[in-house]
Amino acid sequence: MQATAGTQFEIADAAREMKLASPEVAATSIETRNAALAAIKEALAANAEAIFAANAEDLAAADAAGVAPAIVKRLKFDQHKLDDVCAGIQDLIGLPDPIGAVLLDRDLDEGLRLKRIACPIGVIGVIFEARPDALVQISTLCLKSGNCSILKGGSETARTNKALFGLIHGAAVEAGMPEACMLQVEAREDIGKLLACDGSVDLLIPRGSNSFVRYIMDNTRIPVMGHADGICHIYVDASADPEIAIPVIVDAKTQYTAACNAVETLLVHKDIAGSFLPLLAAACQEAGIELRGDEAVQAVVDCVPATDADWATEYLDLIVSAKVVQDIDEAIAHINRYGSHHTDAIMAEDDAAAARFMQLVDSAGVYRNCSTRFADGFRYGFGAEVGISTSKLHARGPVGLEGLVTYKYQIEGHGHIVGDYASGKRSFHFRDR
């Protein structure tokens, strides 16, 4: 289904229809869902030129509007991106069915059996940035996990999103999925209507700026899961090996500069600042990265002076801030204060230092001697992701299939009544199977 401003049905009506259809979607067999994914993959590959043509129009419009090059990179959907999403769909097909897994199996008493069973969340609304591959990843993950999805992508890629959604929805329905398995919302004004669909929409996942995510949270009664800023750090410990640390930092900044898991701030132990910072500055210059440093960094290398605002900034650009810290505890305190609890890393050969950092840094992903860019559902083997959550409830980090299911309790008995237990006639024995 597609909804635009002025269409014959309102978002609220479509959401109610999806809510009623969600048990039917949840009950589809894994064979049907996997067949739908295979059909989607084929449809995308067979219609590549039409998708690329729509994307070219979006890119031309972005260029005319003066959109920053780092953002334009995210808008592009070319053969490489198509190959990536198709590979992701194939991986998703190979993952086990997340629905119906028995999470608890317990005999409460003779003939009275309790089970906790994994089941879809229901209707999930995802409002995401202008990145066309995100639409493919989100819709297919929701489909595999048996959830209905309401999709609102960024207006900068409206033409590409419409082309992709039409192919995805059409292929899924033709393969046997219910018509109401997914809905595309195109009009910006419909976001407010979607936020009012409590009772029909079970979960909202917003992806975008901190102010946008905060707006969503403040203007709906629907549960919200996700993250706002991606202010990621790399701490270079006194025990770090520069031959490991420098390439990791460059990768974390340049491999995909506009991504939420790109590094923004570097913290360098004072004991190696004199030897490490010149290597860092040279690597930044070679990679085209602007280095901003505090006074201690400026005393060692030529760089742009950093301000207090830099520590709380997600650049999404070829800029990185650097600060010299007295010890690992100062680094941890800085990250927990200024970070967004997304992904942070330590470069260290000292096992004790690494263990302390990984225990005390309060982030969804904490790494040692590797790039923050590994924070990704595809790279975790989740079959891509609907987003990265910095929440501590339900799902944390890249949200893949496991994050899109909840559970229900089922009890089977043989005429058991609570009165028998209250009177002492019967008693629980709680034996796990």
Side-chain angles (χ1 to χ4, degrees):
M1 298 186 294
Q2 286 182 309
T4 56
T7 52
Q8 60 184 351
F9 62 91
E10 290 288 333
I11 298 301
D13 297 328
R16 279 192 291 270
E17 182 181 339
M18 295 189 86
K19 183 66 174 177
L20 293 173
S22 61
E24 182 184 355
V25 174
T28 54
S29 68
I30 185 61
E31 291 77 16
T32 298
R33 282 175 274 131
N34 280 341
L37 292 174
I40 290 169
K41 179 185 170 186
E42 292 177 8
L44 294 177
N47 293 275
E49 293 307 317
I51 299 169
F52 299 156
N55 187 244
E57 293 184 33
D58 285 330
L59 293 177
D63 184 60
V67 176
I71 303 302
V72 171
K73 183 178 179 182
R74 306 189 79 175
L75 309 184
K76 191 173 184 179
F77 193 86
D78 54 13
Q79 187 64 52
H80 176 69
K81 292 283 184 71
L82 178 60
D83 290 343
D84 281 350
V85 298
C86 286
I89 293 172
Q90 190 60 48
D91 289 343
L92 193 55
I93 292 172
L95 293 178
D97 187 2
I99 303 174
V102 178
L103 309 175
L104 174 71
D105 192 352
R106 175 175 294 167
D107 289 327
L108 304 181
D109 189 11
E110 190 69 30
L112 187 63
R113 185 176 181 181
L114 169 71
K115 290 183 180 180
R116 183 165 64 215
I117 308 293
C119 62
I121 290 172
V123 179
I124 301 176
V126 189
I127 308 170
F128 53 97
E129 71 278 29
R131 190 162 62 83
D133 47 330
L135 186 146
V136 181
Q137 294 166 353
I138 293 164
S139 60
T140 53
L141 277 167
C142 287
L143 190 152
K144 174 82 176 195
S145 58
N147 288 289
C148 295
S149 57
I150 300 176
L151 308 168
K152 173 65 178 80
S155 59
E156 296 88 346
T157 52
R159 301 168 186 85
T160 314
N161 288 341
K162 186 171 184 176
L164 289 169
F165 180 85
L167 293 167
I168 292 168
H169 183 248
V173 172
E174 188 172 343
M177 293 300 296
E179 176 77 22
C181 65
M182 60 183 73
L183 166 74
Q184 182 185 26
V185 175
E186 297 183 86
R188 185 183 297 272
E189 55 266 32
D190 281 335
I191 292 178
K193 297 176 184 178
L194 175 59
L195 300 185
C197 289
D198 53 293
S200 297
V201 177
D202 297 291
L203 178 69
L204 285 174
I205 303 177
R207 296 169 37 146
S209 68
N210 182 51
S211 60
F212 173 72
V213 174
R214 176 52 56 191
Y215 172 82
I216 298 296
M217 291 177 173
D218 291 344
N219 287 275
T220 186
R221 292 188 292 179
I222 302 169
V224 177
M225 178 174 70
H227 78 280
D229 289 338
I231 302 177
C232 302
H233 300 75
I234 292 179
Y235 163 59
V236 184
D237 186 60
S239 67
D241 181 345
E243 292 187 4
I244 292 176
I246 294 295
V248 166
I249 290 169
V250 172
D251 178 87
K253 180 76 265 185
T254 66
Q255 198 277 328
Y256 197 157
T257 306
C260 60
N261 55 14
V263 69
E264 307 293 9
T265 298
L266 306 175
L267 304 171
V268 181
H269 194 289
K270 65 178 178 60
D271 289 353
I272 62 165
S275 59
F276 182 80
L277 288 173
L279 298 175
L280 173 66
C284 286
Q285 183 176 11
E286 183 178 351
I289 302 168
E290 177 184 301
L291 178 63
R292 299 181 181 180
D294 68 353
E295 290 184 1
V297 174
Q298 295 172 52
V300 179
V301 297
D302 183 26
C303 63
V304 176
T307 67
D308 287 342
D310 284 301
W311 313 133
T313 298
E314 181 182 23
Y315 300 114
L316 300 176
D317 201 351
L318 287 172
I319 303 170
V320 68
S321 56
K323 178 180 182 180
V324 174
V325 293
Q326 295 299 304
D327 52 31
I328 189 172
D329 290 331
E330 184 182 348
I332 292 168
H334 180 101
I335 292 169
N336 287 340
R337 175 182 178 184
Y338 291 102
S340 54
H341 310 289
H342 191 296
T343 305
D344 301 286
I346 179 174
M347 300 294 109
E349 298 304 303
D350 184 331
D351 291 342
R356 181 171 182 79
F357 182 92
M358 296 180 84
Q359 180 181 45
L360 293 179
V361 168
D362 185 21
S363 297
V366 188
Y367 301 167
R368 177 186 183 183
N369 290 341
C370 60
S371 172
T372 57
R373 285 283 293 126
F374 281 104
D376 178 86
F378 175 76
R379 298 185 182 104
Y380 281 15
F382 292 171
E385 67 189 37
V386 295
I388 293 180
S389 173
T390 53
S391 171
K392 295 184 180 181
L393 299 178
H394 180 67
R396 196 179 193 193
V399 180
L401 288 178
E402 290 186 1
L404 295 179
V405 295
T406 181
Y407 53 81
K408 64 175 69 173
Y409 288 100
Q410 299 176 348
I411 293 182
E412 291 188 17
H414 293 83
H416 291 73
I417 60 173
V418 171
D420 287 344
Y421 297 89
S423 66
K425 183 178 178 180
R426 304 193 67 151
S427 61
F428 296 109
H429 61 227
F430 303 129
R431 293 192 184 96
D432 289 338
R433 291 188 174 226

